[in-house]
């Protein structure tokens, strides 16, 4: 290891506890939130798992002569993989700070003739024609901190009957866990493996969201979960599995839908082999801090 790498690793180790909360602010809902800091866009764009899943899904679909709508285009990290083939694309972005970047990329690639950029809220935007494909990757763990569900509910009204969605389905899962919250917020994404919680059960499916048909804005949870280990449970370990298209899946990275710990409303002692009820309620497009879960 050279000296520069050695120094970088030393700084990383020295700041381990601080860094485990480093993505929390950018991934937390804000009523006036338009997007992410510039560095976070770079993190997302360099995430090969995230970008690769959508790129593989796009490669299996025939975009030629299609009319496409993509919501939350960011800096066109996903857009570039289908835009050369389409008849027209309506690109929606709510972050005004990205206007110059988006328009520069469109000009550089000579896409002006096939693109309409709408700087607006994707939940209320009006499209001038039906679309063949709807793309939107405004995803967050449990669909809690972003408006993925509401955006698709609105925009799929423009989707032709035979039209396609990317992604298609999101499955939310939870495990019983024990976490040290002494200096932590009520929830945070897991960025480094040293900070994995102590897990006391297998994963259970909390709910499944079909983005073509989902009409609810919230979810009520009442699922049995069997403890594998005895101990105190004070948190849930949350994960979201995404079906981008049949056979192409995404199960979270540090840049998108990372595994996340969430504090329970109150702790409870469980015994190995005993089945309990995981109960809770959370809304789509709000904050995980507003979600309520408990063990009965």
């Amino acid at each position: 290891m050279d000296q520069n790498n050695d120094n970088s690793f030393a700084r990383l180790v020295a700041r381990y506890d601080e860094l485990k909360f480093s993505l929390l602010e950018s991934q937390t809902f804000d009523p006036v939130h338009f997007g992410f800091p510039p560095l976070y866009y770079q993190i997302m764009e360099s995430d090969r798992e995230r970008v690769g899943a959508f790129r593989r899904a796009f490669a299996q679909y025939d975009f030629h002569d299609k009319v496409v709508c993509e919501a939350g285009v960011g800096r066109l990290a996903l857009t570039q993989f289908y835009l050369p083939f389409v008849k027209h694309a309506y690109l929606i972005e709510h972050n005004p700070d990205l206007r110059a970047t988006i328009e520069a990329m469109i000009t550089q690639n000579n896409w002006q003739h096939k693109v309409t950029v709408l700087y607006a809220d994707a939940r209320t935007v009006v499209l001038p024609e039906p679309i063949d494909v709807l793309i939107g990757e405004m995803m967050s763990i449990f669909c809690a901190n972003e408006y993925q569900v509401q955006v698709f509910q609105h925009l799929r009204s423009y989707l032709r009957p035979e039209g396609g969605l990317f992604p298609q389905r999101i499955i939310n899962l939870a495990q019983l866990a024990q976490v040290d919250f002494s200096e932590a917020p009520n929830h945070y994404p897991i960025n480094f493996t040293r900070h994995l919680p102590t897990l006391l059960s297998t994963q259970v499916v909390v709910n499944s969201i079909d983005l073509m048909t989902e009409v609810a804005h919230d979810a009520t949870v009442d699922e049995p979960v069997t403890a594998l280990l005895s101990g105190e449970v004070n948190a849930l370990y949350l994960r979201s599995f995404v079906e981008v298209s049949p056979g192409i899946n995404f199960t979270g990275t540090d840049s998108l839908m990372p595994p996340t710990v969430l504090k329970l409303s109150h702790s409870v002692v469980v015994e190995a082999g005993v089945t309990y009820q995981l109960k809770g309620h959370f809304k789509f497009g709000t904050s995980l801090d507003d979600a309520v879960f408990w063990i009965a």
Side-chain angles (χ1 to χ4, degrees):
M1 182 179 293
D2 63 38
Q3 185 175 359
N4 288 334
N5 286 337
D6 188 49
N7 290 337
S8 297
F9 186 68
R11 290 194 297 270
L12 174 66
V13 172
R15 298 183 61 196
Y16 233 76
D17 285 338
E18 178 185 350
L19 286 171
K20 77 176 179 179
F21 308 128
S22 61
L23 292 180
L24 179 61
E25 182 176 353
S26 61
Q27 295 179 343
T28 299
F29 176 81
D30 183 336
V32 295
H33 159 79
F34 282 118
F36 302 104
L39 177 61
Y40 194 61
Y41 283 105
Q42 183 179 346
I43 293 171
M44 291 191 291
E45 291 160 5
S46 63
D47 184 340
R48 289 181 294 181
E49 291 295 322
R50 165 190 177 265
V51 175
F54 279 84
R55 188 175 186 177
R56 292 192 304 274
F58 293 164
Q60 294 183 351
Y61 188 86
D62 183 7
F63 280 94
H64 288 87
D65 296 323
K66 296 293 196 301
V67 177
V68 177
C69 175
E70 182 183 354
V73 296
R75 301 196 306 195
L76 310 189
L78 304 181
T79 316
Q80 61 184 312
F81 297 119
Y82 69 81
L83 197 52
F85 312 108
V86 303
K87 177 182 178 182
H88 197 85
Y90 296 94
L91 307 182
I92 306 172
E93 178 53 54
H94 204 197
N95 185 353
D97 294 338
L98 297 180
R99 181 187 291 263
T101 300
I102 292 172
E103 294 180 358
M105 290 186 65
I106 291 172
T107 300
Q108 289 168 10
N109 289 279
N110 195 28
W111 289 330
Q112 303 96 314
H113 65 289
K114 61 165 62 180
V115 169
T116 301
V117 185
L118 304 169
Y119 297 100
D121 187 333
R123 294 170 296 170
T124 59
V125 71
V126 176
L127 299 180
E129 62 177 316
I131 58 176
D132 300 297
V133 184
L134 173 58
I135 301 169
E137 194 234 41
M138 298 167 293
M139 298 185 294
S140 60
I141 197 77
F142 270 45
C143 294
N145 291 343
E146 290 284 353
Y147 291 118
Q148 179 81 41
V149 173
Q150 289 92 330
V151 166
F152 270 39
Q153 286 175 350
H154 171 64
L155 291 176
R156 73 189 183 214
S157 65
Y158 295 96
L159 193 64
R160 298 183 190 277
E162 68 282 5
L165 287 183
F166 298 92
Q168 298 185 0
R169 188 164 60 108
I170 299 174
I171 303 169
N172 294 322
L173 306 101
Q175 283 177 274
L176 304 184
Q178 202 286 323
V179 176
D180 179 9
F181 284 104
S182 58
E183 297 181 0
N186 288 337
H187 80 276
Y188 59 89
I190 299 294
N191 301 330
F192 299 97
T193 54
R194 181 182 291 185
H195 302 297
L196 283 171
T198 300
L199 302 174
L200 287 87
S201 75
T202 56
Q203 292 184 122
V204 295
V205 175
V206 167
N207 73 317
S208 183
I209 302 169
D210 185 334
L211 290 167
M212 183 65 84
T213 60
E214 184 65 66
V215 295
H217 286 187
D218 57 7
T220 297
V221 178
D222 189 359
E223 295 293 333
V225 56
T226 302
L228 296 177
L229 298 171
S230 299
E232 181 184 11
V233 173
N234 69 343
L236 295 178
Y237 181 63
L238 310 179
R239 296 194 67 187
S240 292
F241 292 175
V242 181
E243 182 182 63
V244 183
S245 64
I248 307 295
N249 306 302
F250 175 81
T251 58
T253 63
D254 58 357
S255 81
L256 181 66
M257 304 177 88
T260 298
V261 293
L262 172 66
K263 193 173 186 178
L264 290 174
S265 58
H266 58 272
S267 60
V268 61
V269 174
V270 299
E271 295 184 16
V274 177
T275 297
Y276 302 86
Q277 287 297 121
L278 171 60
K279 295 178 176 286
H281 180 265
F282 64 97
K283 295 181 179 180
F284 305 136
T286 176
S287 169
L288 273 178
D289 284 334
D290 296 328
V292 179
F293 287 93
W294 68 95
I295 305 298

